[in-house]
C-alpha cells in the first residue's frame, strides 16, 4: 500500500500548478481583519520557501566540481592517450578502451548532472518544509548531515554507474572500428543507444533505472540511524519523493536534456574538424567526445543550462508540492 506521503504528493503532481496559483492568490487578496492572520502566515511560508530555494543553483554548482573530478579520475582518457603516444605493444587494446571510455564518460556526465539537479531541488524543498515546522529539530548539524549523506550516496552510486556505462558502451561500439565513418547525427544516436543499453541491462524493478544509484544503501541507513528523528524524517521523505512516478519522469527528462547538451557541444567541434565533409572516421570523433564530455559538469560554462534544468516547470511544480505537503 502506498504511504500517505506518496498519496499527498501524487495528488499535488496531478493537480499541476494549483499550489503555486494558490500562493499567488493569497498575495492578491485584500487583507481584512478576518483573514489577516491566515494571509500573513501564507506570506511567511512563501518567503521561507523562496529564500531556501535560492540556494539551489549555488549548491549544484559547488557539487558539480568534485563530481567532475571523480568522473575524470574514474574514466581518465588523458592517461590512456599518454600511453598511446608511447607506441606500446597493446596499442589496439588501448584504442578500444579509449573509444569505450570517451563515449561512456559523455553519457555518465549527462546522467550525473540530471541526477544532481533533481536531488538538490528535492532536498531543499524537503528541508524548507521541515525547517518551517520545527527549526529546533532540524538544526544546523542535522541539515549538514542530511545533505552530506545524500551526496555520499550519489558518489557511491556513481562508482557503480561508471562500470555499468562502460559495459554498455563496449557493447554498443563493438562493431565500430576506428576507420568507421561517423556522421554528426550518429554521435547523438550512439550516446542514446548506450544509455538505452545500460537501462536494459540494469533494470530497477518498477522504477526508472537511475534511481538505484540515488537511494542510500543499507549500510548508510544504519550509520545515520542514531542521529535523531529529524534526520530519519528527512531521509525517509526524500526517498518517498524519489520513488514517485512523476519524479522519475522528471529525472529522465533532465538526463535527456543534459545528453542533448553534450551532443550539441560535440557537434560544434565536429563541424570545425570535418569542415565540408559530412563524416569523420571514429578515430577523430573519439577525441571530440573526450574533450567535450566533461564540459556539462563545468558550472561556469553551463550556468544557463543549469538555470534551465533547476527551474524546469515540472521540477518547480514538484518542489512546490513537496513544500506544500510537508510544511503544514
Amino acid at each position: 500500500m502506498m504511504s500517505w506521503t506518496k498519496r499527498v504528493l501524487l495528488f499535488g503532481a496531478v493537480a499541476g500548478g494549483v499550489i503555486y496559483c494558490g500562493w499567488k492568490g493569497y498575495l492578491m487578496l485584500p487583507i481584512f481583519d478576518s483573514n489577516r492572520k491566515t494571509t500573513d502566515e501564507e506570506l511567511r511560508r512563501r518567503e521561507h520557501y523562496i529564500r531556501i530555494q535560492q540556494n539551489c543553483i549555488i549548491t549544484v554548482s559547488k557539487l558539480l566540481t568534485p563530481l567532475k573530478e571523480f568522473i575524470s579520475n574514474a574514466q581518465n582518457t588523458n592517461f590512456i592517450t599518454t600511453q598511446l603516444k608511447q607506441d606500446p605493444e597493446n596499442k589496439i587494446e588501448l584504442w578500444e578502451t579509449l573509444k569505450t571510455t570517451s563515449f561512456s564518460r559523455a553519457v555518465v556526465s549527462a546522467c550525473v548532472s540530471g541526477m544532481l539537479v533533481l536531488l538538490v531541488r528535492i532536498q531543499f524543498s524537503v528541508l524548507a518544509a521541515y525547517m518551517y515546522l520545527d527549526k529546533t529539530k532540524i538544526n544546523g548539524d542535522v541539515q549538514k548531515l542530511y545533505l552530506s549523506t545524500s551526496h555520499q550516496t550519489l558518489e557511491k552510486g556513481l562508482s557503480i554507474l561508471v562500470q555499468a556505462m562502460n559495459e554498455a558502451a563496449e557493447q554498443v561500439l563493438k562493431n565500430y572500428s576506428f576507420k568507421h565513418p561517423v556522421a554528426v547525427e550518429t554521435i547523438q544516436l550512439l550516446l542514446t543507444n548506450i544509455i538505452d543499453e545500460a537501462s536494459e541491462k540494469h533494470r530497477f524493478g518498477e522504477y526508472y533505472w537511475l534511481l538505484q544509484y540515488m537511494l542510500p544503501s543499507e549500510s548508510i541507513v544504519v550509520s545515520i540511524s542514531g542521529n535523531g528523528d529529524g534526520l530519519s524524517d528527512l531521509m525517509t521523505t526524500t526517498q518517498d519523493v524519489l520513488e514517485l512516478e512523476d519524479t522519475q519522469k522528471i529525472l529522465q527528462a533532465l538526463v535527456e536534456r543534459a545528453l542533448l547538451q553534450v551532443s550539441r557541444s560535440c557537434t560544434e567541434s565536429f563541424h570545425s574538424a570535418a569542415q565540408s565533409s559530412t563524416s569523420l572516421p571514429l578515430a577523430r570523433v573519439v577525441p571530440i567526445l573526450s574533450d567535450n564530455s566533461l564540459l556539462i559538469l563545468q558550472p561556469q560554462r553551463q550556468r544557463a543550462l543549469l538555470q534551465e534544468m533547476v527551474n524546469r516547470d515540472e521540477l518547480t511544480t514538484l518542489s512546490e508540492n513537496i513544500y506544500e505537503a510537508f510544511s503544514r
Side-chain angles (χ1 to χ4, degrees):
M1 174 180 280
M2 184 177 292
S3 67
W4 70 270
T5 31
K6 294 185 180 181
R7 288 201 298 271
V8 170
L9 288 172
L10 274 176
F11 173 77
V14 171
V18 170
I19 292 166
Y20 177 70
C21 293
W23 266 322
K24 289 189 71 175
Y26 272 112
L27 299 180
M28 296 169 63
L29 284 173
I31 304 177
F32 298 111
D33 289 340
S34 60
N35 66 6
R36 181 183 299 275
K37 184 176 180 180
T38 301
T39 304
D40 287 349
E41 178 67 14
E42 291 300 325
L43 285 171
R44 282 193 293 272
R45 288 178 67 249
R46 179 64 177 169
E47 289 169 357
H48 174 75
Y49 170 80
I50 293 173
R51 186 167 60 253
I52 299 295
Q53 290 295 313
Q54 286 173 342
N55 294 314
C56 282
I57 285 289
I58 297 174
T59 302
V60 169
S61 297
K62 287 182 178 179
L63 291 173
L64 279 177
T65 300
L67 289 175
K68 172 179 171 292
E69 293 176 358
F70 182 94
I71 295 172
S72 181
N73 291 329
Q75 299 178 296
N76 194 336
T77 57
N78 289 336
F79 177 73
I80 302 173
T81 301
T82 299
Q83 288 183 297
L84 282 168
K85 289 179 179 179
Q86 298 172 4
D87 196 26
E89 294 182 0
N90 62 336
K91 180 186 293 185
I92 295 178
E93 180 183 346
L94 286 173
W95 271 114
E96 289 296 319
T97 302
L98 180 62
K99 175 183 70 175
T100 298
T101 304
S102 297
F103 275 87
S104 173
R105 190 169 76 171
V107 181
V108 168
S109 297
C111 290
V112 167
S113 60
M115 292 160 70
L116 180 63
V117 166
L118 178 70
L119 182 59
V120 169
R121 193 74 199 267
I122 289 174
Q123 283 182 315
F124 276 79
S125 302
V126 172
L127 265 179
Y130 278 88
M131 287 171 63
Y132 185 80
L133 287 179
D134 191 347
K135 290 183 179 180
T136 58
K137 189 176 182 180
I138 312 298
N139 56 41
D141 291 338
V142 171
Q143 294 173 40
K144 290 177 182 178
L145 190 55
Y146 166 59
L147 294 172
S148 64
T149 299
S150 296
H151 301 146
Q152 287 170 12
T153 298
L154 188 57
E155 285 189 357
K156 187 172 182 179
L158 183 53
S159 300
I160 306 172
L161 176 61
V162 165
Q163 182 59 38
M165 209 65 76
N166 286 344
E167 294 172 357
E170 184 176 357
Q171 178 65 25
V172 170
L173 298 168
K174 64 181 181 181
N175 295 324
Y176 282 77
S177 71
F178 273 88
K179 294 181 179 180
H180 197 291
V182 176
V184 67
E185 297 83 4
T186 307
I187 296 176
Q188 183 171 352
L189 178 62
L190 288 172
L191 294 175
T192 301
N193 288 346
I194 290 170
I195 198 169
D196 288 345
E197 174 73 16
S199 66
E200 181 65 25
K201 290 291 179 61
H202 299 275
R203 292 184 179 182
F204 191 47
E206 62 183 300
Y207 303 114
Y208 182 56
W209 75 288
L210 286 177
L211 183 64
Q212 62 190 297
Y213 308 109
M214 300 174 69
L215 297 177
S217 63
E218 186 175 344
S219 61
I220 291 179
V221 173
V222 171
S223 68
I224 66 172
S225 60
N227 289 281
D229 294 337
L231 181 59
S232 177
D233 290 343
L234 292 172
M235 297 297 293
T236 299
T237 301
T238 301
Q239 181 165 337
D240 281 349
V241 173
L242 284 171
E243 291 177 353
L244 289 172
E245 183 179 354
D246 285 350
T247 305
Q248 295 168 66
K249 289 179 180 179
I250 294 171
L251 173 58
Q252 184 173 358
L254 288 169
V255 171
E256 290 172 354
R257 176 63 185 91
L259 197 63
L260 177 61
Q261 185 66 25
V262 172
S263 299
R264 287 176 176 174
S265 297
C266 293
T267 297
E268 294 176 7
S269 300
F270 181 96
H271 287 312
S272 176
Q275 297 181 353
S276 59
S277 178
T278 58
S279 65
L280 287 172
L282 184 61
R284 294 186 64 188
V285 172
V286 166
I288 292 175
L289 261 296
S290 181
D291 291 342
N292 287 277
S293 59
L294 294 176
L295 293 182
I296 197 169
L297 301 179
Q298 298 180 13
Q300 67 276 16
R301 301 183 63 171
Q302 300 291 343
R303 186 163 183 82
L305 174 65
L306 291 179
Q307 289 276 9
E308 175 192 331
M309 292 173 69
V310 168
N311 296 317
R312 192 179 183 93
D313 288 345
E314 310 97 295
L315 186 52
T316 297
T317 298
L318 175 66
S319 175
E320 300 266 12
N321 288 336
I322 294 169
Y323 186 67
E324 176 68 12
F326 293 102
S327 64
R328 293 182 180 276

